[in-house]
Amino acid sequence: MFKVRVYVGYKESVLDPQAEVIQGAINRLGHGVVSDVKIGKFFDFNVEATQEEEAIKIAEKIADQLLANVNMESFQVEVMEAN
């Protein structure tokens, strides 16, 4: 069994108004050195598989079918630990 994390965020070509608002607030707080704010989400779950590559493929399929809107979002799968 593998614990995986799927990161989901907007594609570079998609406008993220929430990230723009947060970046503006950061700048108003006096942290003008911060730029290019990105907002995303992540999902942690266990995948029953014998090989890490198999767990990654299963998680990628789940992300593609359910967790990410592939028209607007991209995703990345990371194996956190093997149990």
Side-chain angles (χ1 to χ4, degrees):
M1 185 175 325
F2 295 87
K3 182 174 184 174
V4 298
R5 177 170 285 169
V6 178
Y7 297 95
V8 178
Y10 284 116
K11 292 180 178 179
E12 290 293 326
S13 60
V14 176
L15 178 65
D16 185 353
Q18 187 178 13
E20 288 184 14
V21 169
I22 290 172
Q23 182 171 331
I26 290 170
N27 290 336
R28 284 190 301 280
L29 290 171
H31 304 288
V33 295
V34 175
S35 63
D36 200 28
V37 173
K38 303 290 183 204
I39 294 178
K41 55 192 169 195
F42 68 88
F43 302 87
D44 288 342
F45 52 91
N46 293 322
V47 176
E48 193 140 339
T50 56
Q51 301 286 326
E52 184 173 319
E53 294 80 22
E54 180 186 5
I56 290 171
K57 284 183 182 181
I58 291 168
E60 286 176 341
K61 190 169 186 178
I62 292 168
D64 184 60
Q65 293 177 331
L66 178 67
L67 303 179
N69 176 347
V70 294
N71 294 319
M72 298 174 26
E73 297 172 317
S74 60
F75 62 85
Q76 179 181 350
V77 175
E78 176 183 338
V79 174
M80 303 298 287
E81 61 185 57
N83 298 326

